[in-house]
Amino acid sequence: MQQDPNTQTPPEQLPLALVYGEAFTEVPLDLYIPPDALEVILEAFEGPLDLLLYLIRKQNIDILDIPVAEITRQYMGYVELMKTVRLELAAEYLVMAAMLAEIKSRMLLPRSAEAEQEEEDPRAELIRRLQEYERFKTAAEDLDGLPRLGRELHVPQIEAPEARARKLLPQVSLEELLLSMAEVLRRADMFESHQVTREALSTRERMSEVLERLKGGGFVAFVALFRAEEGRLGVVVTFMAVLELIKESLVELVQNEPFAPIHVRARAE
């Protein structure tokens, strides 16, 4: 069966909405729309003076020559609209409405020429308040337009690289080394015996013993290199061995801080 070329295929109907992925091409018969669902307030005012200033600017009216009757009518229209959409009106809106009604009634009352010259314009107080509010509103808008830190301006922050502090160790003086040796000699005197014995001690052998003691590469307390039971002779030989090792740059003396205990460490090759 051939299709008539003059017959046009109806275009595909677009869905009205997608609900959970399902297309709806017709309005459901049981769809309920609340009566206030589509009511929208286009302007938000910060107070009655803000509303009055909006009405004056919208119609390009001279603020010094306000048509009170027309402005009052438009103002009351907005008040009624806000009541209709169930917005809670602040008391100041109603006070301004009463003030406009009073100004309107005073301007409608007949007055003599002399009374008009003596009596102040009923709109004067309202004009003064509007001018003052407009100045502050303009100043606030100008301040809001200035660049603000965190909105238009951002302070760059760069983290500094981690720095490892290098502790400078004090130089070990010969005086402190001698004082440390004197303390060892004092302890050695406590082990002196009345029996005189002599043991051959070699400085070179003691140098080898000290190097063997420092072989691990760690720090060893200077006083720990001495054996008090060897007496003064052993202390002197060990001291001379340490001095020779220092002279030959095989060991080094280290102090963590001035007057702190002295430590010995083998130098790295």
Side-chain angles (χ1 to χ4, degrees):
M1 180 177 182
Q2 295 182 355
Q3 184 179 2
D4 186 359
N6 296 324
T7 304
Q8 295 183 355
T9 304
E12 183 179 355
Q13 186 176 3
L14 296 177
L16 296 176
L18 291 175
V19 180
Y20 297 109
E22 182 181 355
F24 283 83
T25 57
E26 297 181 359
V27 178
L29 299 177
D30 59 346
L31 179 63
Y32 172 73
I33 301 177
D36 300 335
L38 300 181
E39 291 185 355
V40 180
I41 297 298
L42 299 180
E43 296 291 341
F45 303 103
E46 298 178 358
L49 288 176
D50 196 33
L51 174 55
L52 281 178
L53 194 61
Y54 166 77
L55 295 175
I56 291 172
R57 286 178 174 178
K58 182 180 178 181
Q59 301 175 80
N60 198 21
I61 296 175
D62 184 4
I63 198 171
L64 299 177
D65 188 18
I66 300 174
V68 178
E70 180 61 22
I71 290 297
T72 302
R73 184 187 65 80
Q74 295 182 16
Y75 180 88
M76 293 306 300
Y78 270 91
V79 171
E80 292 299 327
L81 176 61
M82 285 187 280
K83 286 183 179 180
T84 303
V85 295
R86 298 178 179 87
L87 290 180
E88 294 184 3
L89 283 177
E92 54 187 2
Y93 280 92
L94 302 179
V95 171
M96 178 59 68
M99 181 178 180
L100 289 173
E102 180 188 4
I103 295 174
K104 179 181 177 181
S105 61
R106 288 175 61 187
M107 294 186 69
L108 292 176
L109 292 175
R111 291 175 296 175
S112 62
E114 296 180 358
E116 287 184 357
Q117 294 179 358
E118 295 179 359
E119 186 178 355
E120 187 181 14
D121 189 340
R123 301 171 296 179
E125 176 62 19
L126 178 61
I127 292 173
R128 184 192 63 79
R129 292 175 60 182
L130 282 171
Q131 288 177 329
E132 184 178 5
Y133 178 79
E134 187 176 26
R135 285 197 301 270
F136 282 101
K137 184 178 179 66
T138 303
E141 292 174 352
D142 293 340
L143 289 175
D144 187 63
L146 295 176
R148 187 179 302 173
L149 186 63
R151 189 178 67 177
E152 289 86 9
L153 303 177
H154 300 277
V155 179
Q157 295 182 353
I158 301 177
E159 294 184 359
E162 183 179 355
R164 298 181 61 183
R166 181 169 173 258
K167 186 176 181 180
L168 299 177
L169 302 177
Q171 190 73 22
V172 180
S173 64
L174 180 60
E175 291 80 2
E176 292 192 45
L177 189 61
L178 292 175
L179 287 174
S180 183
M181 179 189 171
E183 177 64 21
V184 176
L185 286 174
R186 187 185 65 79
R187 297 178 185 177
D189 288 340
M190 299 180 181
F191 290 88
E192 286 291 339
S193 176
H194 294 289
Q195 182 180 359
V196 179
T197 59
R198 180 178 294 275
E199 181 181 355
L201 297 175
S202 169
T203 304
R204 283 293 169 183
E205 291 180 0
R206 187 54 53 90
M207 290 170 63
S208 299
E209 293 177 5
V210 172
L211 288 177
E212 185 67 23
R213 182 80 179 274
L214 302 176
K215 191 174 181 180
F219 290 97
V220 176
F222 175 71
V223 297
L225 298 176
F226 299 89
R227 294 193 291 271
E229 62 271 15
E230 290 182 346
R232 284 178 171 270
L233 180 59
V235 172
V236 172
V237 171
T238 303
F239 183 71
M240 296 302 295
V242 173
L243 291 181
E244 283 294 328
L245 291 172
I246 295 174
K247 181 180 178 181
E248 295 178 13
S249 299
L250 296 176
V251 301
E252 60 178 343
L253 302 179
V254 179
Q255 271 184 314
N256 289 330
E257 57 187 14
F259 308 110
I262 300 174
H263 289 75
V264 186
R265 180 175 66 176
R267 282 185 176 274
E269 295 183 1

